[in-house]
Amino acid sequence: MASSDQDLVPVLDKDGVRLTVDDAIATVTLTNPTKRNAQSPALWRALTEAGRQLPGSVRVVVLRAEGKSFSAGLDRQAFTPEGFDGEPSFIDLARGADAELDATIAEYQEAFTWWRRSDIVSVAAVQGHAIGAGFQLALACDLRVVADDVQFAMRETSLGLVPDLTGTHPLVGLVGYARALEICVTGRFVAAEEAVNTGLANVAVPAGQLDDTVRDLAAAVLAAPRDAVVETKALLRGAQDRTYEEQRAAERQSQARRLRDLAGVGD
């Protein structure tokens, strides 16, 4: 997948993020391997922009990263008094008004939310370290295929912070409250075998097979009719917030829409 992605003309290529589109498959690549794809507000804005620039033809979005690490998390420069060029430092943000701080964090979170859209299936291809913000970015996707050298860790709590880039909700949903709490407060590494066994990852493969495995998974998703995939994703994503009876009703409503569509009958 890496070679074909590089052969395509980028739709977006800025601030450590490259977006390429090949018909129904879009690939978002983190492109700063020398810094282990450390994250910054500029990178988050580029990720948000990538989501907004997806053509309507896209059904699968693959998230990958160049180099040995998926993402080492937040660039520590954020915690220096200088911060990033042209950006308020985190220290400056902390001194600001509550509403301003809340709005800034909400803006950062937008980079992590669009991967859950019902009209796409997002797949993270994760190798090496995925720490903090890197872990949360992988969690933002619907599916995770990991290399056998993967090392997930949520280090925010160890730094006196909390995970705030939308990762807590999917983490609890995947592994349960008790394990999620233990992973977050200890900051320990979660390797490939545990990731698969606990549901954090769909499958683990040797690093050399990561791209091919993701390509095969994308092809399998594309083999199903688009509208059925969209309805199924929406149905499953809403299941955790519904009672059993509410989910039964949602299933009936979704199926009725599919049957009417297949029969060419309007609502």
Side-chain angles (χ1 to χ4, degrees):
M1 181 173 295
S3 59
S4 62
D5 175 46
Q6 293 170 353
D7 292 340
L8 297 170
V9 176
V11 176
L12 174 77
D13 195 353
K14 62 188 291 188
D15 297 321
V17 175
R18 182 173 63 243
L19 167 65
T20 57
V21 177
D22 186 6
D23 193 21
I25 299 178
T27 302
V28 177
T29 305
L30 306 182
T31 60
N32 193 4
T34 58
K35 295 194 72 172
R36 295 197 300 161
N37 298 304
Q39 299 183 31
S40 67
L43 180 141
W44 294 334
R45 285 193 292 270
L47 285 174
T48 299
E49 187 176 346
R52 292 171 179 166
Q53 292 197 22
L54 288 181
S57 62
V58 170
R59 296 182 53 193
V60 176
V61 181
V62 174
L63 171 64
R64 59 182 301 277
E66 295 178 349
K68 295 182 177 180
S69 293
F70 178 76
S71 175
L74 180 63
D75 191 322
R76 294 300 179 91
Q77 188 175 339
F79 296 104
T80 65
E82 300 79 17
F84 302 101
D85 290 341
E87 304 275 355
S89 71
F90 280 20
I91 295 173
D92 291 335
L93 288 173
R95 291 170 176 160
D98 288 348
E100 180 182 356
L101 181 57
D102 184 79
T104 300
I105 296 173
E107 179 186 350
Y108 296 161
Q109 289 176 330
E110 290 180 11
F112 297 76
T113 57
W114 63 265
W115 308 88
R116 299 175 175 85
R117 283 168 30 184
S118 292
D119 61 322
I120 60 172
V121 173
S122 53
V123 184
V126 188
Q127 79 281 1
H129 291 98
I131 299 174
F135 191 5
Q136 294 187 77
L137 187 55
L139 285 167
C141 292
D142 297 311
L143 309 173
R144 279 154 296 281
V145 177
V146 302
D148 54 11
D149 67 347
V150 76
Q151 293 282 300
F152 289 115
M154 201 73 84
R155 291 291 175 82
E156 286 84 351
T157 309
S158 305
L159 298 171
L161 302 170
V162 300
D164 67 333
L165 297 171
T166 79
T168 57
H169 189 277
L171 182 62
V172 171
L174 290 166
V175 305
Y177 161 74
R179 190 178 295 270
L181 177 63
E182 179 253 330
I183 287 172
C184 289
V185 300
T186 65
R188 69 173 177 86
F189 285 115
V190 178
E193 182 178 3
E194 181 182 358
V196 173
N197 289 342
T198 58
L200 275 176
N202 294 81
V203 63
V205 297
Q209 298 177 20
L210 185 61
D211 286 344
D212 287 342
T213 302
V214 172
R215 185 182 296 111
D216 291 344
L217 177 57
V221 172
L222 294 177
R226 178 172 194 162
D227 289 345
V229 173
V230 170
E231 285 277 2
T232 300
K233 179 175 177 178
L235 189 63
L236 293 174
R237 284 200 58 80
Q240 59 188 325
D241 298 321
R242 300 187 188 106
T243 66
Y244 178 75
E245 292 301 325
E246 289 170 342
Q247 185 67 5
R248 285 183 60 202
E251 289 175 0
R252 296 194 300 271
Q253 293 164 6
S254 294
Q255 192 69 305
R257 283 192 294 270
R258 297 304 314 127
L259 289 170
R260 290 193 183 102
D261 184 64
L262 290 173
V265 178
D267 290 337

